[in-house]
Amino acid sequence: MNHIILTKQEIEHKTIRMAYQIYETFSDEKEVVLAGIASNGYIFAEKLATALKKISDLEVTLCEVKVNKLKPLDKIQTSLPPEEYTNKALVLVDDVLNSGTTLIYGVKHFLDVPLKKFKTAVLVDRNHKQYPVKADFKGLSLSTSLKEHIQVVFTDDEAYAYLS
């Protein structure tokens, strides 16, 4: 049985609130790179970028980050070459922080590049992780059992998150 934990409207509200938090954190910057983990993390990064452009004069650059979730040690691919985010402010974005595996390997990749500021953002943060990684910006924190799964659905006209 699936239980809706975030409706489309709630996701929109949380996205706007997180955009304000990101803006406050990076208000002294001219530009911020939103690096979204494919595929839902990137879609969420696009939503954050849209919200940020409405509320701030920050120049927002999107970057898609491809992490092989089955083999996280494989080389991570980014849609931008490292020179385009070197010495810039960057936020690594994902939809759900489950075990922390995907986010920690994403963080590891960006640690090889000098950055001005580096933060993480997730729409839903589950409160049990296998790795010491935290989300600096989060839409919803939720304590779940290990058997429960959180899924975020983004389609052209729909957005919601559910627990199964």
Side-chain angles (χ1 to χ4, degrees):
M1 188 176 99
N2 295 338
H3 173 71
I4 300 287
I5 55 172
L6 287 174
T7 64
K8 182 177 183 176
Q9 187 176 24
E10 289 169 328
I11 289 173
E12 288 168 0
H13 286 298
K14 292 188 181 305
T15 302
I16 292 165
R17 184 176 55 77
M18 290 173 69
Y20 274 106
Q21 291 174 326
I22 291 168
Y23 179 47
E24 287 169 9
T25 302
F26 295 101
S27 60
D28 55 339
E29 300 293 330
K30 289 182 174 61
E31 180 181 2
V32 65
V33 177
L34 297 183
I37 296 175
S39 60
N40 271 359
Y42 184 73
I43 294 168
F44 185 50
E46 289 176 316
K47 291 179 182 303
L48 283 169
T50 300
L52 266 171
K53 289 174 185 174
K54 285 180 184 169
I55 63 165
S56 76
D57 54 359
L58 278 173
E59 183 183 321
V60 181
T61 304
L62 281 164
C63 174
E64 186 173 22
V65 181
K66 292 184 179 164
V67 178
N68 182 341
K69 294 182 183 193
L70 299 175
K71 296 181 184 172
L73 289 173
D74 284 2
K75 185 164 172 44
I76 289 174
Q77 304 292 320
T78 55
S79 62
L80 295 176
E83 307 78 63
E84 292 201 31
Y85 46 82
T86 297
N87 294 318
K88 292 185 180 170
L90 187 135
V91 181
L92 183 62
V93 181
D94 206 359
D95 59 341
V96 181
L97 176 49
N98 277 313
S99 65
T101 305
T102 306
L103 208 59
I104 198 107
Y105 284 105
V107 165
K108 180 181 175 288
H109 169 79
F110 287 103
L111 289 178
D112 292 336
V113 179
L115 298 171
K116 264 186 170 176
K117 280 186 188 172
F118 185 22
K119 300 286 182 186
T120 55
V122 297
L123 179 58
V124 182
D125 181 12
R126 290 180 64 178
N127 291 331
H128 55 261
K129 297 171 220 19
Q130 295 172 323
Y131 294 93
V133 62
K134 73 176 183 70
D136 297 297
F137 311 107
K138 51 190 162 232
L140 175 69
S141 284
L142 198 63
S143 293
T144 59
S145 76
L146 289 170
K147 294 178 184 169
E148 293 174 306
H149 298 283
I150 294 173
Q151 196 69 39
V152 176
V153 176
F154 290 124
T155 64
D156 289 342
D157 53 342
E158 200 52 66
Y160 59 92
Y162 66 89
L163 180 69
S164 59

